[in-house]
Structure formats: C-alpha cells, structure tokens
C-alpha cells in the first residue's frame, strides 16, 4: 500500500493567500510489493497537471493530429520511461508551434532540443519556477532523459499551454463559442461532492479512456495569525480515483454506502451515468484486443510454416447417374457426328461442281488416255486382271477405313462428354 506523509506547512505573515499543490509536499512511501514504475504511476496520478494534459488532448485532438491515438496509460508510461510514445506526442504538439522544421523533429532525439528552445522564452508565463533543462549544445537530451517523471510532466503541461496560444487554437475556441454553446468536451463533467472541499469529476473519451478524479481543497491557517483571515494558505490535491471498470464500481459502492447524502448521491450518479459509458468502452477495447491477438497468431503461424504453392482445383459438375442424362449425351454426340458428315458431303459437292467446268476441257485428253489404255490392254492382257483386283481391294480398304474412322470419332466424343460430366 502507498502511505502519504505530509510535510509541516510554514506559516506566512503575508496578507495574501498562497495557492499550493499538496502533491508537491507529499512524500511517496512505497512498500516492497510496488515496483518503481508502479510508484511513479501513482505519483503522476496525484498531479493535477496530468488530468489537465489529458483533457487538453481530448479537446484539441482534431487540431493536434488525427493519427495520434494514445491511451492515458501509454502517456503515463511515456513520461516515466521517455519512450517512443512520449516522443510521438511531443512532436505532434511541436508541429503546431511555428517555426516548424520537420527534418529536425524527425531526427532521433532532436525534438528535445527544439522543445527546450521553444519553451525557454515562454516558461515564466506558462509555468512556475525555473525551466529544468535548457538548450546547451546537445547536453539537454541527456538532461531531459535524466529528469523525474513529474518534471517531464511539467514540460508537457507547459507545451500544451503554449499550443493553446497559437492562432488556430484560439480560432477553434472562438468558433465553438459562436455556435451558442461550447463543445461538451471543453470541460470536465462535475459529478458532485460534499459541498465543502471534496469534488468528483468524470472525464475522458473512447481513445484515451475514462477516468474519475477527486479534487480536495484544504485551507490551513497560520498559528500566529489565526485571527487574520487573509493569512490562510490554500492547498489543493487532484487524485485519480478510478481508471478501469472495477475501480469505478468500487468507488461507486463506497460512496453509495457513505453516511453523507451528498456523497451517496455522487455514488448513485456514478452508477447511472459513468459506469455504462465505461462498460461500453471496455467491451469495445476487449474486442479490439481480441482481434489484434487473432491477427498476431495468424501472422505467426504463416511466418513459421513454409510457403507451399498448390494448383487450383477444377470446378467439377455434380454427377447425375440417370438414363435421361446418358441418352442426352449420346444424342448430342450423334448430332455432332451428323453435322461433321454433312459438312464433309457439302465440301465434296462443292469440289465436284468446281471440277465440272474443267471436264470439257480435258475430254480430248481422256479420249487419248482411253486409247492408250486399250493399246496397253492388247499388249498385256494377262496383267489387267491383277490390276483390277488390286484396284477393287484398295477401294474396299479405303471404305473400311472411312467406316472405322467414323465409329472411332463417335466413340471418342462419347468418352469425352462423359469425362466432362
């Protein structure tokens, strides 16, 4: 568990009240069960600057970058570890503050140098105290990385303040104000409180997530000047009470069972207004994580398995074993053969017609050839009988081949059509 030890406040004799942040006077004592990162996260969540930065990113997201989709937890870990997410957030903000040099911003850790140069002249106006790191020939990079997470949060808060001073941010606010009512995202939603010093706020969106904040305002009086009202010292704390669905339910249950009716009303409002929104957000988040996990598993399986190229399967017709289909197949094959035979007959008729014209011309030659044949028959009477037999045999062979070819074509068509089915 985390225990808080508050340092004794020093009395002041000045007549004006002083506004302090209680988180500055708190020492975080973590037990052995908490890791350094967990302790740093708890320390960040006690700073009001973190809630202010998250609200700024929620309001001005369209001006900063539509591609910037960081959750509140990623922003917290970026401030603690100074990782790539932190660099991405700062670069997106720096690009909206002229002059802009995109090459220097994208070059490794050069954005830290640009950050120090742009914040140095504005620091007294947008932040308290002295700037922790200034531009000094590249030493500011190691200096920034060696800062505490709360100091990096101070840099980010000052950068957001400077971003709101730009013309496009002012115009964005003015345009929303001219519409008659400000955009609801311009302010956090106050759920209520005890009416004295404790208030509860609900803020967030579907990208960064939703959070429940607890604001505590305390006023301590000086021991030497208790009679003087102007010697009061105001102190306020801004704590993150809930960041997930379980914590929202726990806080609602505790507040609903409290004795003061005002706090019980806050618990009921959390149950009716805040928890349904958080439930819807967590369902969507779980669906996205499940989808990402499935895609990761598929990509791993594909990368581990060897790539095999297989041929595509043919689309086969469903087989039907009925006599109707078989008869249809046979008739189609017979029609195809009839068509081919008919085409052959027409082709032969055309050739015979073309040859009739040339018959008259070659009639004399035929007569001469017949005379020559008669002469040869007289000269060789015994050889005629053998030639006639050979001619008749060749005719029979040619007719058998023609008949066999027709049957063979019919058989091939039948087998081919059956294979296609």
């Amino acid at each position: 568990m985390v225990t808080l030890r508050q340092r004794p406040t020093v009395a002041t004799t000045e007549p004006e009240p002083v506004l302090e942040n209680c988180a500055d006077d708190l020492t975080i004592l973590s037990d052995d069960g908490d890791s350094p990162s967990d302790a740093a996260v708890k320390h960040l969540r006690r700073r009001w600057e973190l809630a202010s930065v998250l609200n700024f990113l929620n309001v001005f997201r369209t001006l900063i970058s539509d591609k910037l989709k960081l959750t509140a937890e990623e922003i917290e870990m970026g401030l603690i570890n100074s990782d790539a997410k932190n660099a991405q957030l700062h670069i997106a903000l720096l690009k909206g503050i002229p002059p802009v040099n995109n090459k220097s911003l994208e070059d490794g850790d050069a954005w830290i140098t640009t950050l120090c140069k742009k914040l140095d002249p504005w620091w007294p106006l947008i932040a308290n105290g002295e700037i922790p790191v200034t531009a000094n020939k590249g030493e500011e990079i190691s200096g920034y990385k060696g800062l505490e997470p709360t100091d990096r949060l101070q840099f980010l808060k000052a950068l957001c303040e400077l971003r709101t001073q730009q013309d496009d941010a002012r115009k964005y606010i003015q345009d929303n104000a001219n519409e008659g009512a400000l955009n609801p995202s311009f302010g956090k939603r106050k759920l209520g409180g005890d009416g004295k010093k404790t208030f509860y706020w609900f803020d967030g969106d579907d990208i960064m997530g939703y959070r429940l904040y607890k604001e505590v305002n305390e006023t301590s009086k000086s021991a030497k000047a208790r009679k003087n009202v102007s010697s009061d010292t105001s102190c306020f704390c801004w704590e993150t009470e809930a960041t997930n669905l379980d914590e929202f339910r726990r806080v609602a249950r505790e507040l609903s069972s409290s004795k003061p009716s005002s706090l019980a009303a806050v618990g009921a409002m959390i149950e009716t207004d805040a928890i349904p929104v958080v439930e819807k957000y967590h369902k969507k988040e779980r669906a996205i994580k499940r989808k990402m996990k499935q895609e990761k598993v598929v990509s791993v399986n594909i990368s581990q398995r060897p790539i095999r190229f297989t041929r595509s399967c043919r689309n086969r017709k469903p087989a039907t074993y009925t006599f109707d289909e078989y008869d249809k197949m046979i008739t189609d094959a017979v029609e195809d053969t009839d068509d081919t035979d008919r085409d052959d007959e027409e082709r032969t008729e055309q050739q015979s017609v073309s040859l009739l014209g040339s018959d008259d011309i070659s009639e004399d030659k035929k007569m001469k050839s017949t005379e020559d044949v008669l002469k040869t028959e007289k000269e060789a009477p015994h050889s005629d009988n053998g030639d006639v037999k050979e001619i008749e045999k060749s005719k029979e062979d040619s007719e058998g081949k023609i008949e066999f070819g027709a049957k063979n074509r019919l058989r091939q068509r039948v087998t081919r059509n059956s294979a296609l089915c």
Side-chain angles (χ1 to χ4, degrees), residues 251-384:
V251 174
R253 188 166 54 250
E254 292 176 356
L255 291 177
S256 298
S257 60
S258 60
K259 293 181 179 180
S261 59
S262 58
L263 295 180
V266 174
M269 188 173 293
I270 294 174
E271 286 281 355
T272 57
D273 296 347
I275 290 180
V277 178
V278 178
E279 286 179 346
K280 184 178 179 181
Y281 166 72
H282 278 273
K283 287 181 181 178
K284 186 184 298 183
E285 186 181 15
R286 283 195 297 268
I288 294 173
K289 289 182 179 179
R290 191 183 303 111
K291 183 178 179 181
M292 292 175 63
K293 185 177 180 180
Q294 292 175 354
E295 292 177 352
K296 185 177 180 181
V297 171
V298 171
S299 62
V300 169
N301 292 335
I302 293 174
S303 62
Q304 290 179 353
R305 294 178 181 177
I307 300 176
R308 297 177 181 177
F309 298 97
T310 59
R311 67 176 185 176
S312 60
C313 297
R314 292 182 296 176
N315 295 326
R316 298 182 180 273
K317 295 181 179 180
T320 56
Y321 304 97
T322 59
F323 292 103
D324 296 336
E325 294 291 335
Y326 182 77
D327 294 339
K328 183 179 180 181
M329 179 180 64
I330 295 298
T331 53
D332 293 338
V334 172
E335 289 178 357
D336 292 338
T337 56
D338 293 341
D339 293 337
T340 54
D341 294 340
R342 200 175 294 111
D343 295 336
D344 294 337
E345 292 177 358
E346 292 178 355
R347 193 178 298 108
T348 54
E349 289 178 359
Q350 291 177 358
Q351 291 177 358
S352 62
V353 171
S354 61
L355 292 174
L356 288 175
S358 60
D359 289 342
D360 298 335
I361 299 173
S362 59
E363 187 176 355
D364 297 335
K365 294 181 179 181
K366 287 183 179 180
M367 293 296 292
K368 293 180 180 180
S369 62
T370 53
E371 293 177 357
D372 295 334
V373 169
L374 292 174
K375 290 179 180 181
T376 54
E377 287 179 353
K378 290 179 180 180
E379 293 176 357
H382 298 286
S383 63
D384 292 340

Side-chain angles (χ1 to χ4, degrees), residues 99-138:
V100 180
N101 188 355
N102 292 327
K103 292 183 179 180
S104 63
L105 290 176
E106 301 293 340
D107 186 13
D109 295 326
W111 63 269
I112 299 177
T113 303
T114 306
L115 174 68
C116 296
K117 289 181 180 179
K118 289 188 177 183
L119 290 182
D120 192 9
W122 291 89
W123 190 266
L125 301 176
I126 58 180
N128 297 326
E130 296 182 357
I131 184 170
V133 179
T134 57
N136 186 13
K137 298 180 180 180

Side-chain angles (χ1 to χ4, degrees), residues 20-23 26 46 48 214-218 235-239:
E20 298 179 354
N21 189 350
C22 293
L26 294 176
R46 293 184 178 276
W48 66 270
K214 178 182 178 182
E215 178 189 1
V216 180
N217 296 319
E218 295 182 354
C235 177
F236 70 95
C237 297
W238 194 279
E239 302 176 1

